[in-house]
Amino acid sequence: MVAADAAPSREGIAVARVVEPEAGQPGSVSGAPSCGPISAAVERERLGRHQTTYHAENRKLLVPGVLAAAFMVLTGIGITAPNMYQVAVCGLLTAVFTGFLLGVRYANRRYAQLQLFEQGLIVVDSEGRPTACRWDALLVRQKVVDHYHYSVLQGRSHAYTLKGPDGETLLHPGVIPHPEHWGPAIQDAVTETQLPMALAAVRRGETVSFGGISVSRDTVTAYGRSAPWDQIQQVTVEGGILSLNVADQRHPLTSKKVSQIPNFFVFHALAEHLRTS
């Protein structure tokens, strides 16, 4: 069995290191999970022991409050305006402000906590309703985000989208702050669980799919093009782009964004094992 850390660290792959945020801050870790529906979900999905809880950032009061004040001022101008142009601007602002309030309300209702357990995770909305998923069924899309200042690259970070086995989005990027804290922990847990499963399937002669990339014991097929593993010279990641480099060929078998490949880190570890073995 190949360990989950078999894949070497490369550019574009989140480092498997969990750094705890300061207590009391958005994204901070808290103690044991709540009772009731959460406990029932933990027992039903057999998630095991609770590990950490990360809290969503609450923007209910500050941002809408500021916009509400600005909206009231502009509405007053629009009502007393002598021409239709200012009235139209007022109507547009009304629509934008209403949409924003609905969006903030939905975001805060939908996401309140991210709780990690031994065998999976739970996303809890603000009304305490949990959605659970085990590590062996979780789909993670990892996006590499470049940060520029005056066209100069200052660094990279990672954003994660979490989906259940039925394709339902459990967590959108940007809702739970500080993904550098919880993202690598999820990445490690999914790899540790799903890599042995993928290896066992391949050894049985089955094909394992990662979006548009299919992996079998002897070959890899990427978006319609195939090559045997003994011809794959390198599996590289640079700037969030995956490349499968084929020996004696000028162009790689494929070059795709990491974010397009579900559970990319599992694929990467599996590909390195099959390529080198």
Side-chain angles (χ1 to χ4, degrees):
M1 183 179 296
V2 178
D5 59 356
S9 298
R10 295 172 183 268
E11 182 183 8
I13 304 176
V15 177
R17 179 172 62 90
V18 180
V19 180
E20 304 294 0
E22 296 181 5
Q25 296 299 317
S28 62
V29 181
S30 67
S34 304
C35 301
I38 297 177
S39 297
V42 171
E43 184 176 353
R44 182 178 64 250
E45 298 296 332
R46 305 185 309 278
L47 298 183
R49 184 172 56 87
H50 175 263
Q51 294 180 331
T52 53
T53 297
Y54 298 93
H55 299 276
E57 199 168 15
N58 190 349
R59 301 176 180 177
K60 279 186 176 180
L61 298 178
L62 179 59
V63 177
V66 172
L67 288 182
F71 171 71
M72 292 177 63
V73 173
L74 292 174
T75 299
I77 296 175
I79 292 175
T80 59
N83 57 66
M84 293 302 299
Y85 173 77
Q86 289 173 307
V87 175
V89 170
C90 176
L92 178 62
L93 289 171
T94 301
V96 171
F97 180 66
T98 302
F100 177 82
L101 281 182
L102 291 176
V104 169
R105 180 180 179 183
Y106 174 79
N108 283 278
R109 178 186 65 81
R110 177 63 172 154
Y111 306 113
Q113 292 179 1
L114 171 64
Q115 298 189 3
L116 305 187
F117 295 80
E118 288 179 316
Q119 302 300 325
L121 57 77
I122 286 181
V123 177
V124 187
D125 67 20
S126 59
E127 298 179 9
R129 294 173 297 194
T131 302
C133 187
R134 291 176 58 85
W135 300 131
D136 56 11
L138 187 66
L139 295 177
V140 182
R141 290 189 181 268
Q142 177 187 9
K143 182 179 180 181
V144 178
V145 182
D146 292 335
H147 301 278
Y148 289 91
H149 183 69
Y150 293 107
S151 301
V152 178
L153 181 64
Q154 301 296 312
R156 290 188 171 98
S157 63
H158 300 85
Y160 297 89
T161 301
L162 309 182
K163 294 191 175 186
D166 57 356
E168 178 190 5
T169 300
L170 305 178
L171 186 67
H172 288 282
V175 179
I176 304 295
H178 306 297
E180 69 276 9
H181 301 152
W182 51 263
I186 292 177
Q187 172 179 308
D188 278 357
V190 171
T191 304
E192 183 178 0
T193 303
Q194 296 191 21
L195 178 58
M197 297 166 54
L199 276 171
V202 167
R203 287 166 178 163
R204 291 193 301 265
E206 300 174 11
T207 298
V208 180
S209 296
F210 298 87
I213 301 179
S214 299
V215 173
S216 67
R217 180 168 49 199
D218 301 317
T219 62
V220 55
T221 301
Y223 302 92
R225 299 179 59 199
S226 299
W229 283 113
D230 57 9
Q231 292 297 310
I232 300 297
Q233 196 171 36
Q234 283 183 314
V235 181
T236 62
V237 182
E238 184 175 355
I241 303 295
L242 165 73
S243 295
L244 299 176
N245 301 314
V246 183
D248 301 325
Q249 291 191 17
R250 180 177 180 181
H251 300 289
L253 183 68
T254 188
S255 292
K256 290 290 182 179
K257 291 182 178 180
V258 167
S259 58
Q260 295 179 283
I261 305 170
N263 291 349
F264 162 76
F265 33 84
V266 179
F267 163 76
H268 188 274
L270 181 63
E272 283 294 326
H273 172 75
L274 296 174
R275 183 184 68 83
T276 56
S277 62

